[in-house]
C-alpha cells in the first residue's frame, strides 16, 4: 500500500512583504527549517511564483525546482484558489471579489472571468512542466446566496446554475486532462461545491469528468456539521489532495452554524491550529491510508487565537506523527498455512 506524503505546508497564509516570506528561496528555506518536505504554492504573487512564465518556460520551471531542491523541499501542488473563485461570480459579490483580480480588471466582470479562465489554463501547463499531478482551486459560485431556500428556489434554478458552472469549467478540465493533472476543488462554504451533495451535482453536470476531483479539508465540514469520516468513505476515489486543518464547533443559545455575523473569536465554529480543535485526525489518516491515498498531507494554518509562527512550528511534527507507514504484511501471517483446493474442501467438510 502507498503511504501519505508529508509533511507539507500551504504558503498562502504566510506570504508577506517581509523576509523570509517575500520570495521563493527564503520561504522555502524557512519551511524546510521547520521540518516540512513539501510546499503548496499559491500563484497570485509573482514575487513567489510567476504563473504565466511557468506556463510558457520549462527553463523557469527548472529554476524553480532547483531553488526548492536546494532549500530542502519540493513543490507538492500549485494553487489557484483566488483565480478559480473568479471563474464564476454572482454579481452580488462583484465588489468583494474584485480584490482578487488585477486592478485593471476591477469593475469589468466579463474580462475578469476571461482572465481567470486563462489563469487556470496556465496553471495546467505550469503543473505539467513541474511534474505535478494535482492542482488546488475553488469552483466559484452562482448559487451560494441561495443556499438557504427562503424564499423557495424556483424549480430548475439549481440545475441551471450547475449547467452554467460546468460550461465554464469543462474547457479548463479538458486543459488539465491534456496536461495529466487533476483539478482538486476545495469543498468550501461560499463555493457552489461546498459539500458532497453539491459536488455530485457538479460531477453530473461535467459528465463525470475524470479530472474533477476533491481537496479534502475536514475543518470546513466541522463548521457545517458534516460527517467528514463518512465523506472519505463516499468520495475517496475522488480525493486527490488533503489539507490538514483543525476546527471546533461549540454551539450555544445565541448562535450556531451561521455564526451570527460575529468575528471569528466569537463564532461557535472556529478554525484552530493543529491539535487545538476537535478534528479526529487519527481517524482521517487511518481512513485515507485504508483507501490508498498517496498524496500530500498539507498544513493549512488558520487560527483566530494562536500566532502563525507557532502554528507552523507545531504543524510539521503533528503531521509527521500522524502519517501511517502502511503494513507490508498481515499481522497474523505467523498463523497461516499453505493451502490448495483439495485441502480447502477438506476443511469445509466436502
Amino acid at each position: 500500500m502507498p503511504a501519505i506524503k508529508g509533511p507539507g505546508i500551504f504558503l498562502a497564509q504566510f506570504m508577506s512583504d517581509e523576509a523570509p516570506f517575500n520570495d521563493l528561496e527564503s520561504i522555502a528555506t524557512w519551511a524546510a527549517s521547520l521540518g516540512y518536505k513539501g510546499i503548496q504554492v499559491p500563484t497570485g504573487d509573482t514575487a513567489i511564483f510567476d504563473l504565466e512564465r511557468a506556463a510558457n518556460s520549462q527553463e523557469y520551471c527548472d529554476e524553480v525546482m532547483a531553488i526548492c531542491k536546494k532549500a530542502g523541499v519540493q513543490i507538492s501542488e500549485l494553487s489557484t484558489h483566488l483565480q478559480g473563485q473568479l471563474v464564476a461570480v454572482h454579481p452580488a459579490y462583484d465588489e468583494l471579489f474584485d480584490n482578487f483580480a488585477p486592478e485593471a480588471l476591477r469593475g469589468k466582470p466579463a474580462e475578469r472571468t476571461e482572465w481567470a479562465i486563462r489563469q487556470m489554463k496556465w496553471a495546467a501547463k505550469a503543473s505539467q512542466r513541474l511534474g505535478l499531478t494535482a492542482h488546488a482551486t475553488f469552483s466559484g459560485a452562482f448559487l451560494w446566496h441561495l443556499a438557504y431556500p427562503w424564499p423557495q428556489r424556483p424549480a430548475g434554478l439549481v440545475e441551471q446554475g450547475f449547467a452554467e458552472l460546468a460550461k465554464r469549467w469543462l474547457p479548463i478540465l479538458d486543459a488539465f486532462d491534456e496536461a495529466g493533472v487533476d483539478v482538486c476543488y476545495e469543498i468550501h462554504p461560499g463555493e457552489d461545491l461546498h459539500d458532497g451533495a453539491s459536488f455530485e451535482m457538479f460531477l453530473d453536470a461535467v459528465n463525470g469528468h475524470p479530472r474533477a476531483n476533491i481537496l479534502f479539508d475536514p475543518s470546513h465540514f466541522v463548521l457545517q456539521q458534516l460527517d467528514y469520516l463518512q465523506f472519505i468513505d463516499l468520495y475517496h476515489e475522488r480525493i486527490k489532495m488533503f489539507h490538514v486543518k483543525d476546527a471546533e464547533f461549540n454551539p450555544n443559545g445565541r448562535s450556531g452554524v451561521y455564526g451570527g455575523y460575529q468575528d471569528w473569536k466569537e463564532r461557535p465554529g472556529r478554525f484552530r491550529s493543529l491539535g487545538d480543535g476537535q478534528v479526529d485526525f487519527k481517524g482521517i489518516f487511518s481512513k485515507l491510508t485504508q483507501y490508498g491515498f498517496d498524496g500530500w498531507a498539507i498544513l493549512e494554518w488558520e487560527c483566530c487565537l494562536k500566532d502563525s509562527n507557532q502554528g507552523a512550528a507545531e504543524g510539521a511534527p503533528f503531521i509527521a506523527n500522524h502519517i501511517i507507514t502502511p503494513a507490508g504484511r498481515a499481522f497474523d501471517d505467523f498463523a497461516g498455512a499453505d493451502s490448495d483446493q483439495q485441502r480447502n474442501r477438506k476443511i469445509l467438510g466436502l
Side-chain angles (χ1 to χ4, degrees):
M1 292 175 62
I4 297 172
K5 302 180 186 71
I9 186 170
F10 186 30
L11 299 181
Q13 285 79 14
F14 301 94
M15 291 167 20
S16 75
D17 294 331
E18 298 180 1
F21 308 110
N22 56 348
D23 66 69
L24 181 62
E25 182 176 4
S26 298
I27 199 169
T29 301
W30 166 82
S33 73
L34 295 178
Y36 292 101
K37 299 178 181 179
I39 53 173
Q40 189 174 85
V41 180
T43 58
D45 184 349
T46 55
I48 301 292
F49 185 84
D50 190 325
L51 182 60
E52 181 178 4
R53 190 176 173 192
N56 293 288
S57 171
Q58 186 61 49
E59 182 180 1
Y60 173 71
C61 288
D62 291 342
E63 291 174 2
V64 165
M65 288 188 285
I67 289 170
C68 292
K69 184 177 180 180
K70 181 181 178 182
V73 296
Q74 66 184 94
I75 296 178
S76 61
E77 302 97 2
L78 300 178
S79 153
T80 53
H81 281 83
L82 303 188
Q83 300 99 312
Q85 182 78 64
L86 299 183
V87 169
V89 177
H90 188 276
Y93 297 95
D94 273 341
E95 184 69 27
L96 291 171
F97 284 144
D98 259 354
N99 289 331
F100 294 173
E103 190 171 350
L105 297 179
R106 294 173 187 175
K108 303 174 181 178
E111 294 178 35
R112 185 187 62 198
T113 298
E114 292 177 4
W115 173 86
I117 292 171
R118 184 166 61 252
Q119 288 270 309
M120 295 304 306
K121 291 181 178 179
W122 282 345
K125 190 62 180 178
S127 295
Q128 183 184 39
R129 291 189 185 280
L130 290 165
L132 306 177
T133 59
H135 181 78
T137 197
F138 280 147
S139 68
F142 293 120
L143 295 162
W144 180 246
H145 65 296
L146 301 166
Y148 196 87
W150 178 254
Q152 186 57 257
R153 296 180 290 255
L157 181 67
V158 171
E159 292 78 5
Q160 191 169 343
F162 274 99
E164 179 61 31
L165 191 66
K167 180 181 177 182
R168 296 197 183 184
W169 274 104
L170 273 168
I172 300 170
L173 289 167
D174 287 342
F176 273 88
D177 195 32
E178 291 177 12
V181 180
D182 291 318
V183 178
C184 299
Y185 297 101
E186 184 166 357
I187 307 301
H188 188 291
E191 311 303 318
D192 279 344
L193 278 61
H194 60 272
D195 58 12
S198 54
F199 175 74
E200 290 177 17
M201 292 178 188
F202 179 72
L203 200 59
D204 287 342
V206 295
N207 304 312
H209 201 292
R211 296 299 176 180
N213 289 290
I214 293 171
L215 190 171
F216 174 75
D217 182 335
S219 68
H220 301 299
F221 298 154
V222 170
L223 270 57
Q224 294 183 71
Q225 291 296 279
L226 186 154
D227 186 337
Y228 50 82
L229 292 178
Q230 189 180 55
F231 185 95
I232 298 173
D233 289 328
L234 293 171
Y235 304 109
H236 58 89
E237 292 182 353
R238 293 277 179 172
I239 295 174
K240 306 293 185 181
M241 200 177 295
F242 174 27
H243 272 177
V244 190
K245 182 176 159 192
D246 213 342
E248 64 184 357
F249 184 68
N250 301 303
N252 55 60
R254 295 182 63 244
S255 61
V257 169
Y258 298 110
Y261 297 116
Q262 298 174 99
D263 291 336
W264 280 110
K265 287 183 180 179
E266 286 73 41
R267 292 173 63 93
R270 309 190 297 186
F271 299 129
R272 299 297 307 276
S273 274
L274 288 186
D276 295 345
Q278 299 168 349
V279 173
D280 177 8
F281 285 108
K282 287 186 177 179
I284 289 172
F285 276 84
S286 294
K287 287 275 189 187
L288 291 175
T289 301
Q290 173 187 340
Y291 289 117
F293 175 77
D294 61 356
W296 283 85
I298 300 290
L299 168 71
E300 183 183 20
W301 178 88
E302 289 182 347
C303 185
C304 58
L305 300 177
K306 183 173 286 185
D307 180 77
S308 60
N309 285 310
Q310 183 181 0
E314 294 173 348
F318 184 95
I319 293 172
N321 289 336
H322 279 80
I323 291 176
I324 297 169
T325 301
R329 59 183 177 82
F331 62 85
D332 55 357
D333 273 356
F334 73 93
D338 293 335
S339 187
D340 55 39
Q341 188 174 26
Q342 188 61 37
R343 186 164 188 256
N344 289 345
R345 289 182 60 83
K346 184 177 181 180
I347 293 171
L348 292 168
L350 300 176

